[in-house]
Coordinates of all heavy atoms in Angstrom, one line a residue:
T1384 N -2.2 17.6 1.7 CA -2.0 18.9 2.0 C -2.8 19.8 1.0 O -3.5 19.3 0.2 CB -0.5 19.2 1.9 OG1 -0.3 20.6 2.3 CG2 0.0 19.1 0.4
A1391 N 12.5 23.0 -3.9 CA 12.7 23.8 -2.7 C 13.8 24.9 -3.2 O 14.7 25.2 -2.5 CB 13.2 23.1 -1.5
I1420 N 21.3 22.2 -1.9 CA 20.5 23.4 -2.3 C 21.2 24.7 -1.8 O 21.3 25.7 -2.6 CB 19.0 23.4 -1.8 CG1 18.3 22.2 -2.3 CG2 18.3 24.7 -1.9 CD1 16.9 21.9 -1.6
G1427 N 23.3 36.6 -8.8 CA 23.1 37.4 -7.5 C 22.4 38.7 -7.5 O 22.5 39.5 -6.4
L1437 N 11.8 39.6 0.3 CA 12.7 38.7 1.1 C 12.9 39.4 2.4 O 13.0 38.6 3.6 CB 14.1 38.5 0.4 CG 13.9 37.6 -0.8 CD1 15.5 37.6 -1.4 CD2 13.4 36.4 -0.6
T1447 N 21.5 43.1 5.4 CA 22.8 43.2 6.1 C 24.0 42.6 5.3 O 25.1 43.3 5.2 CB 22.7 42.5 7.4 OG1 22.2 41.2 7.2 CG2 21.9 43.3 8.4
R1492 N 11.6 28.8 6.7 CA 10.5 28.0 6.6 C 10.6 26.7 7.5 O 9.6 26.3 8.1 CB 10.5 27.4 5.1 CG 10.2 28.4 4.0 CD 9.0 29.2 4.2 NE 7.8 28.5 4.5 CZ 7.0 28.9 5.4 NH1 7.1 29.9 6.3 NH2 5.9 28.2 5.7
G1494 N 12.1 26.7 10.4 CA 11.9 27.2 11.8 C 10.3 27.4 12.0 O 9.9 27.3 13.2
V1530 N 1.6 12.5 -2.7 CA 1.1 13.7 -2.0 C -0.2 14.1 -2.8 O -0.1 14.4 -4.0 CB 2.1 14.9 -2.0 CG1 1.6 16.0 -1.2 CG2 3.4 14.3 -1.5
V1536 N 2.0 22.6 -7.6 CA 2.8 23.5 -8.2 C 4.2 22.9 -8.5 O 4.9 22.4 -7.7 CB 3.0 24.8 -7.3 CG1 4.0 25.8 -8.1 CG2 1.7 25.4 -7.1
G1540 N 12.5 23.5 -11.6 CA 13.6 23.9 -12.4 C 13.4 23.4 -13.9 O 12.4 22.9 -14.3
V1545 N 6.9 18.2 -13.5 CA 5.5 18.7 -13.4 C 5.1 19.3 -14.7 O 3.9 19.2 -15.2 CB 5.4 19.8 -12.2 CG1 3.9 20.3 -12.2 CG2 5.9 19.2 -10.9
L1589 N 31.8 40.1 -17.9 CA 31.0 40.7 -16.8 C 31.8 40.8 -15.5 O 32.3 39.7 -15.1 CB 29.7 40.1 -16.5 CG 28.9 40.4 -15.3 CD1 28.5 41.9 -15.3 CD2 27.7 39.6 -15.1
A1663 N 11.0 26.2 -14.2 CA 10.1 25.1 -14.8 C 9.3 25.7 -16.0 O 8.9 25.1 -16.9 CB 9.2 24.5 -13.8
P1669 N 21.6 34.9 -18.6 CA 21.9 35.5 -17.4 C 22.1 37.0 -17.5 O 22.3 37.7 -16.5 CB 23.0 34.8 -16.8 CG 23.7 34.1 -18.0 CD 22.6 33.8 -18.9
R1687 N -1.6 35.0 -4.8 CA -2.9 35.7 -4.7 C -4.0 34.8 -5.3 O -5.0 34.8 -4.9 CB -2.8 37.0 -5.5 CG -1.8 38.0 -4.9 CD -1.9 39.3 -5.7 NE -0.7 40.2 -5.4 CZ -0.2 41.1 -6.2 NH1 -0.8 41.3 -7.4 NH2 0.8 41.9 -5.8

Side-chain angles (χ1 to χ4, degrees):
T1384 186
I1420 296 171
L1437 292 181
T1447 50
R1492 294 312 307 136
V1530 186
V1536 179
V1545 181
L1589 171 62
R1687 290 182 196 158

